[in-house]
Amino acid sequence: MTSVDTPRIDSERTVRVTVNGVPREATVPVRRVLADALRDDLGLTGTHVGCAHGVCGSCTVLVDGDPVRSCLVLAVQVDGAEVTTVEGLAREDHQGGQVLHPVQEAFRECHALQCGFCTPGFLVTIAAGLEARDRSAEITEEEVDELVGGNLCRCTGYANIKKAVRHAAATMREDAS
């Protein structure tokens, strides 16, 4: 094979993605995971990397509306996608500030965090789950367990996290009616 026939292997690639409603672009190493690209290349440090193996859920973000472990997804795999991080859950209040997502508000009201390291993953996962369900129905304990079951917390014992899920579901149910 001559040098002309040798395939070129790119070590970096430009990724274009909409993050929290804002079009963004970054040139990243092709092996960089999404969590590191969000934190290091785009300056969005709300996404935490706990285990780097997809087990703990701390790094969960939404890609095109679906929860994914950003420590397991390469940044180049989300080229052209919409990504929502914990920073994107709150919405504008049209007065220069923001209104917390009902899940964020419920975590605050129910004291559902201690050290806060796992909180971004919980918030994003729970928000997606509650947004996807029928809001007119009361949430069941099985649904609550399902929403929190994929994330690990070493501080809280989950009681207040589950309380926050029920509170957020009730708030979203009231808002829907």
Side-chain angles (χ1 to χ4, degrees), residues 2-91:
T2 67
S3 63
V4 173
D5 297 328
T6 305
R8 183 172 169 250
I9 299 174
D10 291 333
S11 61
E12 290 187 334
R13 187 165 294 151
T14 299
V15 176
R16 291 169 187 84
V17 63
T18 301
V19 182
N20 302 327
V22 179
R24 304 289 298 266
E25 182 177 301
T27 301
V28 299
V30 294
R31 296 185 64 178
R32 177 159 295 156
V33 294
L34 177 57
D36 292 341
L38 290 167
R39 292 181 61 80
D40 301 336
D41 298 304
L42 299 179
L44 297 168
T45 58
T47 301
H48 296 164
V49 179
C51 67
H53 297 287
V55 176
C56 74
S58 293
C59 69
T60 304
V61 299
L62 304 180
V63 176
D64 293 330
D66 295 320
V68 299
R69 307 291 204 220
S70 65
C71 71
L72 298 179
V73 176
L74 297 174
V76 296
Q77 291 177 285
V78 300
D79 190 28
E82 279 208 30
V83 176
T84 303
T85 68
V86 68
E87 292 96 337
L89 291 181
R91 60 180 167 72

